[in-house]
Amino acid sequence: MGKVTVPSVRARKVRSGADPIVMVTAYDAPGARIADEAGVDIILVGDSVAMVVLGHDSTLEVSVDEMVHHTAAVARSGARSLIVADMPWLSYHLSVEDTVRNAAALVRAGAGAVKLEGGAKRVPMVSAIVDAEIPVMGHLGLTPQSVHAMGGFKVQGREQGAADVLVEHALALQEAGCFSLVLEGIPSEVGRIVTSAVDIPTIGIGAGPDCDGQVLVFHDVLGIEDRITPRFVRRYANLKSDAVAALEAWANDVRTGGFPAAQESYHLPPGIETDHYPEDPGATIGLYGAAAPTEESRTA
Ligand code: KIV
């Protein structure tokens, strides 16, 4: 299978017979390799990195430099999936020049496209980025960078007429050159209406089953993040609890002397004399030259 390209994604409308697009976030090389081997179409280096990896309470904290750092790590995986990098908050709000320079930094780090949040008011920035030959994915509905303006992470588009407004924004982004749109946190009915109004594919997260694709956050699908489970998340593994159990088992082996075993240790070749060293069965020399803890030092 060849590299997933922007034009191939642009053509993926389910109503034209295409398979739904699968997009998942990843923030580092191992995550990207997992996503790529699973055969996803798009890896999103989301600004959700701020919350699920860097420990912040919102996505507003992450900078362009940090997004570049994570995008480069994902790109070094050599993934065949299309890599889309999120433009962080304030990286596309100040001036057109600043916006294009920031988008270019993400492309130089290895992204094949960038994503930014917001509707019609983003059109000048989207056009400028597209003019610089950088493909843009739009993002409408619950846009996490607007958390304060929205009064929290709240489902959007529930009121009368909201579908029409979202359709207008979606058409404006399509006209400006976006090759696809993320629809987040909106009623399924609104997701269906927007999806049928545009020619570019929509990728939903909490936007119902009628979008042209779905996206989830890596740490949510795999159960690495287990503190909050939004309604739209389906968990396919419990890696956090598996990892805790694995580390507990290893810690127990270390504490009871069961790790490392002889086959997990290096040994001197036959014929090397060590008899003139004093016997000290409690202190072995570790791989990095550190003395392993003795029972006394552990309990002291
Ligand atoms: O940053 C992110 O993970 C996203 C997805 C929720 C679409 O923007």
Side-chain angles (χ1 to χ4, degrees):
M1 280 197 292
K3 179 96 185 146
V4 178
T5 62
V6 166
S8 71
V9 171
R10 168 79 177 72
R12 294 272 292 271
K13 271 315 257 186
V14 168
R15 68 170 176 238
S16 309
D19 287 339
I21 296 164
V22 180
M23 177 160 96
V24 71
T25 65
Y27 315 102
D28 56 22
R33 278 195 297 271
I34 291 168
D36 202 48
E37 281 181 35
V40 307
D41 301 300
I42 305 176
I43 295 175
L44 173 66
V45 189
D47 59 355
S48 49
V49 68
M51 298 174 77
V52 295
V53 173
L54 303 177
H56 296 294
D57 290 334
S58 78
T59 58
L60 304 179
E61 269 71 32
V62 79
S63 66
V64 173
D65 286 350
E66 286 168 314
M67 290 305 298
V68 162
H69 173 83
H70 287 280
T71 302
V74 165
R76 282 193 287 269
S77 72
R80 63 166 279 285
S81 322
L82 175 65
I83 298 172
V84 178
D86 253 339
M87 296 198 68
W89 177 60
L90 228 54
S91 70
Y92 55 95
H93 304 68
L94 302 180
S95 72
V96 165
E97 198 183 306
D98 192 45
T99 299
V100 175
R101 190 172 295 117
N102 288 331
L106 295 167
V107 170
R108 288 210 168 109
V114 297
K115 175 167 84 57
L116 54 79
E117 297 182 5
K121 68 180 167 197
R122 303 290 174 228
V123 160
M125 301 309 187
V126 171
S127 304
I129 301 170
V130 170
D131 278 354
E133 313 301 342
I134 300 171
V136 180
M137 179 181 280
H139 186 158
L140 290 172
L142 193 174
T143 46
Q145 292 174 13
S146 317
V147 58
H148 298 309
M150 291 181 308
F153 297 107
K154 293 186 177 153
V155 173
Q156 302 293 299
R158 279 185 153 143
E159 61 285 2
Q160 188 67 47
D164 294 341
V165 174
L166 268 181
V167 165
E168 270 173 37
H169 287 302
L171 289 172
L173 291 173
Q174 170 176 290
E175 186 63 24
C178 283
F179 72 97
S180 57
L181 285 180
V182 166
L183 300 180
E184 177 168 358
I186 55 174
S188 298
E189 298 79 1
V190 178
R192 177 174 45 74
I193 291 166
V194 176
T195 299
S196 63
V198 292
D199 296 330
I200 54 177
T202 60
I203 305 174
I205 174 162
D210 297 313
C211 298
D212 298 298
Q214 298 290 330
V215 52
L216 281 177
V217 166
F218 186 89
H219 291 57
D220 289 337
V221 201
L222 297 179
I224 299 170
E225 172 60 75
D226 66 351
R227 291 167 299 175
I228 339 153
T229 312
R231 176 200 290 236
F232 56 79
V233 169
R234 190 180 295 174
R235 219 173 251 162
Y236 286 84
N238 289 301
L239 296 194
K240 157 88 184 299
S241 50
D242 290 352
V244 170
L247 286 181
E248 273 172 359
W250 176 64
N252 186 53
D253 283 349
V254 171
R255 291 183 182 125
T256 56
F259 178 89
Q263 69 273 18
E264 291 155 335
S265 306
Y266 297 99
H267 301 281
L268 287 171
I272 303 285
E273 263 311 318
T274 59
D275 286 354
H276 53 289
Y277 291 104
E279 276 283 308
D280 184 0
T284 54
I285 302 299
L287 179 60
Y288 304 105
T294 61
E295 190 55 38
E296 300 79 70
S297 70
R298 272 200 307 270
T299 51

